[in-house]
Amino acid sequence: MPTPQTPLGLFGIEELIGEEDRAIRDTVRAFTADRLRPHLAQWYESATIPARELAGELGKLGVLGMHLDGYGCAGTSALAYGLACLELEAADSGLRSLVSVQGSLTMFAIHRWGSPEQKQEWLPRMAAGEAIGCFGLTEPDFGSNPGEMRTHARRDGDDWVLDGTKMWITNGSVADVAVVWAQTEDKIRGFVVPTDTPGFSAPEIRNKLSLRASVTSELILDGVRLPASAMLPEARGLSGPLSCLNEARFGIVFGAIGAARDCLETAIAYTRDRDIFGKPLAAYQATQLKLADMTVELGKGMLLALHLGNRKDAGTLRPEQVSLGKLNNVREALAIARECRTLLGANGISLEYPILRHAANLESVLTYEGTSEIHQLVIGQAVTGHTAFR
Ligand code: TGC
Ligand code: FAD
């Protein structure tokens, strides 16, 4: 009998990744094996994670804002960051979310659009995991269409006063700082809001059936008074927050492959062990057809992720290309998770195995950072020249 290969091994993926990026990837993989995997089912079931403790450990690991330069950030390649997201999401999408929101959304917003003082105040502590950040764009009535947001900031003397509500905000209740986007007389602007500012509160959203190992919150801004220096000086208009979304979506392109890989490897191992009608489930053609199709989709998604990673490192990655990756890889990862679930029979619905947990998580991943329909419309716009959002 030939020695089985892993699905990504079959594609020869390893040779496409440089030594340094591989070493970073392996360090993150080891961290997930030792520190995260033993607790995932319990965190998921209880819908609680030790976010502050984990942030400190992830900071020591060097993954928070790892692809940013200076201010205590590691300054790795974009590809290495993607591979770190892949390993984190192979454990649980909620853990990748914690890292994405910290590094790609909140730290990136401050790094890209902030003043020297804002960068100095927040980035070193956030890179170390001593301060947690959240990113408030979505509102109860404006998710896919953030340009119509109602949260607003008005001038009062030299100060800004913010009023409004943000919804579905990852890390909200545990954050020390929130980057909040608001309408002003001069377009949408971003504000760096310390979460102990009077008028700011962040009640946690309970009863989630997805992303349970992640903190998700509402942000309430009730007359939050901030000094003039709280505004991100360089971001003006919706392109400010959307530029941050490109970064987080890039991480998801890789992360989704991690969740799918974990499902497929689990299913392959299970079918090799499980005897049905006198022989291993893996030895039936019907099983192999499923496993082969999933292997093909997983490998194609990984090749796409690596291609986009190389383009990002070369400085040539365009937002609509990120949409190609986010749409394809999350959609296929979810399809793989659902198909793998069937191969485990009743065991497929148990938390003893990671598959349905990944599938449930991927429902959120399909929706956040731009729903699959929004990414279809971005791609549709790119290939037709017509805008069909409205
Ligand atoms: P539109 O008129 O097309 O554009 C407004 C301005 O933005 C520019 N732009 C971009 N800039 C950078 N990156 C992009 N991807 C950009 N897309 C557009 C555009 O050039 C324009 O600039 P300017 O200078 O002319 O003003 O805007 P629109 O209102 O028609 O909306 C376009 C649309 C629908 C694509 C956009 O609104 C969108 O992407 N909607 C989806 C919203 C979304 O993804 N929200 C995610 C919230 S954060 C989150 O989910 C975190 S999950 C956390 C986790 O990982 O746990
Ligand atoms: P809607 O915009 O109401 O969409 C509903 C449906 O309509 C979708 O199927 C959508 O694709 C479709 N639709 C929308 N527009 C069109 C159109 N033009 N044509 C056809 N169909 C359309 N947001 C943040 O700002 N920060 C966070 O940290 C954050 N974390 C999140 C964590 C979780 C667990 C979740 C679930 C969400 C999070 N979000 C966050 C919010 C997320 O970005 C939004 O849920 C997402 O953008 C979709 O918005 P919505 O839920 O309001 O759906």
Side-chain angles (χ1 to χ4, degrees):
M1 209 171 71
T3 310
Q5 302 173 55
T6 63
L8 292 180
L10 185 59
F11 274 80
I13 294 295
E14 218 47 16
E15 292 116 69
L16 300 177
I17 304 171
E19 205 177 319
E20 200 174 316
D21 293 343
R22 248 187 285 155
I24 294 171
R25 188 251 346 243
D26 291 346
T27 306
V28 179
R29 187 182 291 184
F31 175 82
T32 65
D34 298 343
R35 179 61 183 109
L36 304 182
R37 284 188 187 272
H39 307 285
L40 288 174
Q42 192 257 317
W43 290 339
Y44 197 87
E45 189 158 33
S46 64
T48 50
I49 51 163
R52 192 153 289 281
E53 206 178 308
L54 287 174
E57 293 174 44
L58 291 162
K60 284 201 180 79
L61 189 66
V63 296
L64 303 178
M66 65 189 267
H67 61 311
L68 303 177
D69 285 320
Y71 305 98
C73 303
T76 68
S77 68
L79 195 57
Y81 172 61
L83 294 168
C85 287
L86 188 155
E87 295 303 330
L88 289 164
E89 195 145 359
D92 192 276
S93 303
L95 277 310
R96 196 268 308 137
S97 266
L98 172 63
V99 170
S100 290
V101 169
Q102 178 87 349
S104 285
L105 292 180
T106 318
M107 290 176 73
F108 178 83
I110 296 172
H111 194 273
R112 173 73 181 80
W113 303 115
S115 66
E117 295 74 23
Q118 289 165 340
K119 293 179 196 183
Q120 207 52 62
E121 180 176 3
W122 290 107
L123 294 179
R125 280 196 287 152
M126 293 180 80
E130 289 159 10
I132 298 179
C134 71
F135 184 89
L137 180 63
T138 303
E139 299 190 354
D141 292 330
F142 300 98
S144 298
N145 182 17
E148 301 288 317
M149 68 177 67
R150 290 207 185 99
T151 297
H152 61 273
R154 65 178 167 82
R155 291 303 305 232
D156 186 23
D158 282 347
D159 291 347
W160 286 101
V161 179
L162 268 64
D163 285 283
T165 305
K166 298 290 178 181
M167 194 65 181
W168 300 109
I169 306 305
T170 301
N171 296 350
S173 317
V174 292
D176 302 282
V177 61
V179 165
V180 173
W181 300 92
Q183 303 279 5
T184 72
E185 281 182 354
D186 179 23
K187 300 193 170 174
I188 288 172
R189 307 298 297 252
F191 294 86
V192 181
V193 185
T195 56
D196 58 2
T197 311
F200 181 97
S201 57
E204 189 167 350
I205 298 172
R206 301 279 177 192
N207 303 326
K208 287 179 300 171
L209 296 175
S210 171
L211 259 277
R212 288 175 62 79
S214 173
V215 175
T216 316
S217 315
E218 193 180 348
L219 304 185
I220 299 170
L221 300 124
D222 182 8
V224 171
R225 181 174 288 275
L226 299 167
S229 60
M231 192 178 72
L232 293 171
E234 306 297 336
R236 184 179 275 110
L238 194 57
S239 58
L242 292 183
S243 68
C244 307
L245 300 188
N246 296 333
E247 299 294 306
R249 290 168 178 173
F250 172 80
I252 290 173
V253 171
F254 283 82
I257 296 299
R261 185 193 73 192
D262 198 49
C263 291
L264 187 51
E265 289 184 352
T266 302
I268 291 170
Y270 185 91
T271 58
R272 296 181 72 224
D273 282 351
R274 176 82 171 169
D275 275 355
I276 297 183
F277 293 108
K279 67 175 187 180
L281 181 54
Y284 288 91
Q285 280 191 352
T287 304
Q288 292 196 6
L289 296 180
K290 288 183 180 182
L291 294 175
D293 284 351
M294 290 191 282
T295 296
V296 170
E297 287 309 324
L298 183 77
K300 280 157 61 182
M302 184 71 197
L303 289 171
L304 177 56
L306 292 174
H307 174 60
L308 299 184
N310 288 328
R311 287 190 70 89
K312 187 160 168 58
D313 278 321
T316 55
L317 184 62
R318 296 198 304 271
E320 58 272 26
Q321 295 173 327
V322 179
S323 287
L324 292 172
K326 203 269 181 181
L327 173 65
N328 182 75
N329 287 8
V330 180
R331 194 164 61 182
E332 294 306 326
L334 185 53
I336 288 172
R338 287 173 179 157
E339 187 82 300
C340 286
R341 215 286 307 150
T342 67
L343 287 167
L344 269 71
N347 280 324
I349 71 155
S350 169
L351 252 181
E352 296 294 314
Y353 294 89
I355 295 176
L356 196 56
R357 174 168 56 78
H358 282 306
N361 283 338
L362 287 166
E363 293 289 347
S364 284
V365 182
L366 195 71
T367 287
Y368 67 35
E369 288 296 351
T371 65
S372 40
E373 292 78 11
I374 287 296
H375 291 293
Q376 286 173 310
L377 293 173
V378 170
I379 295 164
Q381 182 184 43
V383 296
T384 66
H386 289 282
T387 300
F389 300 115
R390 352 187 118 70

